[in-house]
Amino acid sequence: MTKLGIVYFSATGATETLAQAIEQGALATEAVEVLRFRIDKNQLVEGRFVDQEVLTQLGSCDAIIFGSPTYMGGVASQFKAFADATSELWCEQLWANKLAAGFTCGSAPNGDQSGTLHYFFTLACQQGMLWVSIDAAHGYTKQNVNRLGSQLGVVAHVNDQGVHKVDKATAQYLGQRVAVLAKKLNLNENVIDNNTVDRALCGFSADVNN
Ligand SMILES: Cc1cc2nc3c(=O)[nH]c(=O)nc-3n(C[C@H](O)[C@H](O)[C@H](O)COP(=O)(O)O)c2cc1C
């Protein structure tokens, strides 16, 4: 069974709508299980994210998709608290070789949502993860997705009517893409044993004495 984790913060529900669409898209692929975690205020203690169980469960996933509303051009502090808690895993690179992707929304069509996606990308790289883009060129897709032209991840625009339906479809599309890739690559099982951190796969050995 291929496992996808979705972890996100949402105050008023728009990011949650995208998370649900991603889950729906992922579940269109057979033998895929989704673990969805909405960051809750009870998990934040004195500004720190405290929930070991969530981190452990995400550790069992083949792919993790990050989500947050865009606040002042970046991730919400609640998501950042979660990201900071993953520093416990960083030294050993315990999430290395998992797939990663991201989604965000804002009240402006271009409300600097890309800043949020760039942060997710940086977080994924810090954890040694492999970033999954959106392979749908704006204006050239049969599926009618990616209307806002972001290939780094899902950008959604939210107004009084809620999340734009094409942005929801884009989230669904990304969920499906990550699920299909995670299943095909099966990285956790086939390629790299994260317990032994087998970097010798790359044949690399640094000689620091020369
Ligand atoms: C503190 C704050 C800062 C915000 N900053 C931005 C922003 O920089 N760009 C933008 O487009 N929308 C911004 N918004 C709007 C939210 O991103 C938007 O309402 C989003 O849909 C909320 O997501 P949620 O329903 O999942 O909580 C901001 C909202 C708040 C409360």
Side-chain angles (χ1 to χ4, degrees), residues 84-106:
D84 291 354
T86 71
S87 65
E88 307 285 325
L89 316 166
W90 168 76
C91 312
E92 302 287 336
Q93 293 286 282
L94 294 179
W95 284 0
N97 308 310
K98 294 182 189 306
L99 298 187
F103 60 102
T104 187
C105 58

Side-chain angles (χ1 to χ4, degrees), residues 17-205:
T17 299
L18 294 172
Q20 288 164 343
I22 286 175
E23 178 173 11
Q24 215 182 343
L27 292 177
T29 302
E30 259 179 43
V32 168
E33 181 188 349
V34 174
L35 305 180
R36 188 154 58 78
F37 301 105
R38 179 175 179 166
I39 297 164
D40 183 81
K41 62 177 185 312
N42 295 320
Q43 293 166 314
L44 304 172
V45 180
E46 294 179 1
R48 310 279 300 178
F49 177 87
V50 185
D51 194 331
Q52 193 53 44
E53 181 55 24
V54 169
L55 293 175
T56 302
Q57 291 213 42
L58 287 171
S60 72
C61 292
D62 303 276
I64 304 175
I65 307 180
F66 304 121
S68 169
T70 292
Y71 281 1
M72 302 313 290
V75 294
S77 62
Q78 292 87 342
F79 183 89
K80 187 60 168 63
F82 161 80
D84 291 354
T86 71
S87 65
E88 307 285 325
L89 316 166
W90 168 76
C91 312
E92 302 287 336
Q93 293 286 282
L94 294 179
W95 284 0
N97 308 310
K98 294 182 189 306
L99 298 187
F103 60 102
T104 187
C105 58
S107 55
N110 181 353
D112 296 317
Q113 287 95 324
S114 58
T116 303
L117 295 178
H118 278 284
Y119 177 69
F120 292 148
F121 175 65
T122 301
L123 172 63
C125 289
Q126 287 213 340
Q127 297 292 3
M129 301 168 85
L130 309 170
W131 189 256
V132 179
S133 61
I134 295 182
D135 62 336
H138 168 73
Y140 290 89
T141 70
K142 282 189 232 110
Q143 301 91 343
N144 190 24
V145 294
N146 192 18
R147 88 191 158 99
L148 294 173
S150 165
Q151 291 193 236
L152 194 52
V154 176
V155 163
H157 175 218
V158 181
N159 62 18
D160 296 348
Q161 319 296 313
V163 181
H164 194 286
K165 66 175 193 253
V166 176
D167 302 340
K168 256 190 265 181
T170 307
Q172 220 173 327
Y173 181 82
L174 181 65
Q176 184 165 13
R177 172 163 158 81
V178 173
V180 167
L181 288 173
K183 201 171 156 183
K184 274 196 181 160
L185 294 170
N186 205 9
L187 285 167
N188 278 345
E189 289 292 318
N190 285 341
V191 183
I192 291 169
D193 177 353
N194 275 334
N195 291 323
T196 58
V197 193
D198 192 2
R199 303 229 157 77
L201 275 172
C202 312
F204 177 75
S205 161

Side-chain angles (χ1 to χ4, degrees), residues 4-21:
L4 252 71
I6 306 174
V7 58
Y8 59 99
F9 172 70
S10 181
T12 54
T15 314
E16 173 137 282
T17 299
L18 294 172
Q20 288 164 343

